[in-house]
Amino acid sequence: FVLVFVTMVAPMAWLFWLSFLADDGSFSLMHYRRMLEQPSYYRIFLTTFHVSLLTTGICIALGYPLAYVLSQLPQRAANLCLIAVLLPFWTSLLVRTYAWLALLQRKGLINNWGIELGLWDEPLALVHNLTGTLIGMVHIMLPFLVLPVLGAMRAIDRDYLKAAANLGAGPVRAFWSVFFPLSMPGLLAGSLIVFILCLGFYVTPAVLGGGKVIMVSNQIANDIELFFNWGAASSLGV
């Protein structure tokens, strides 16, 4: 309780209090009023939720089939593949983000290989835009979806699928009627984790977005570093 209070409750309470203080130290709703009145804040929130939803959707599209394949493999092979899934955790987020910058920039490896192989003639704009931001965020977030889904899939009793087959269901019908509903708790948990973590992303949009993909966390940093406005930053944080 003391640890949680000191590291989370007290800072959040202080942040909440700062959000209601005007520049002269008086109680005010000016920072929240500004968020409702200025269109720039609307665009920032829209971008934040748009990027978070897209990242979550792509992680679901890639992570669920991957988790399903891992759940069907023998235990030894599944563990080896799981190590590959967890490899991104072995490197810091900042290093991974700059690695994608080196790969995706106009003179990066991917553009050079694409031109050499004749896949395209001019360097593609793969970075400093929404595309590069999504690639970096999906790479970082994918394990957070695979692990809960894989855990839920491994907990499913395979006798249920045998019973469905015994009652006349084909493999596709058994999957959608039995396996998929039983894996939904893991899918929902993983999706929620990915979505919430994406809402607070800072490094990846700042580096791979190139200032063109501004999310709430980037605006909070700007309010503090550029304008020294703790009230505005605190209201956004709240």
Side-chain angles (χ1 to χ4, degrees):
F1 173 80
V2 172
L3 179 64
V4 171
F5 183 83
V6 171
T7 60
M8 188 174 71
V9 177
M12 284 300 297
W14 177 69
L15 197 71
F16 186 76
W17 171 250
L18 283 178
S19 68
F20 290 102
L21 294 181
D23 296 335
D24 58 0
S26 60
F27 182 84
S28 174
L29 295 174
M30 60 177 293
H31 301 301
Y32 292 99
R33 193 180 302 115
R34 184 190 296 115
M35 280 195 292
L36 296 175
E37 294 175 351
Q38 291 190 5
S40 60
Y41 282 94
Y42 170 77
R43 290 194 296 269
I44 290 170
F45 278 111
L46 187 63
T47 299
T48 300
F49 281 92
H50 181 223
V51 172
S52 300
L53 286 172
L54 281 177
T55 303
T56 305
I58 297 173
C59 284
I60 291 173
L62 297 176
Y64 190 91
L66 176 58
Y68 179 76
V69 170
L70 293 178
S71 69
Q72 302 302 309
L73 292 176
Q75 189 67 35
R76 184 184 297 272
N79 289 338
L80 290 175
C81 293
L82 190 60
I83 292 175
V85 174
L86 296 176
L87 275 176
F89 286 137
W90 296 4
T91 311
S92 73
L93 187 146
L94 186 62
V95 172
R96 280 178 279 166
T97 301
Y98 275 101
W100 276 115
L101 182 63
L103 289 170
L104 299 174
Q105 59 186 334
R106 293 184 65 85
K107 293 185 179 181
L109 292 176
I110 292 179
N111 268 318
N112 289 340
W113 289 342
I115 294 174
E116 289 176 1
L117 294 174
L119 300 178
W120 52 81
D121 298 326
E122 298 291 333
L124 300 179
L126 299 175
V127 75
H128 294 161
N129 51 28
L130 179 61
T131 302
T133 302
L134 288 176
I135 292 173
M137 291 180 65
V138 168
H139 173 244
I140 293 168
M141 288 289 102
L142 192 60
F144 290 99
L145 184 115
V146 171
L147 292 178
V149 174
L150 181 59
M153 288 180 174
R154 284 181 171 176
I156 297 175
D157 191 343
R158 294 303 188 270
D159 287 342
Y160 293 149
L161 297 176
K162 295 177 183 177
N166 190 46
L167 293 171
V172 176
R173 178 71 182 276
F175 173 83
W176 288 112
S177 299
V178 178
F179 191 88
F180 183 74
L182 291 175
S183 67
M184 278 299 292
L187 181 60
L188 292 175
S191 301
L192 187 61
I193 291 171
V194 171
F195 180 74
I196 291 176
L197 290 176
C198 287
L199 290 178
F201 247 74
Y202 171 71
V203 173
T204 304
V207 175
L208 297 180
K212 298 178 181 178
V213 181
I214 301 177
M215 299 176 65
V216 170
S217 56
N218 305 111
Q219 184 60 39
I220 292 173
N222 289 337
D223 285 338
I224 294 176
E225 295 173 359
L226 299 180
F227 308 112
F228 305 103
N229 193 335
W230 281 89
S234 299
S235 63
L236 272 175
V238 172

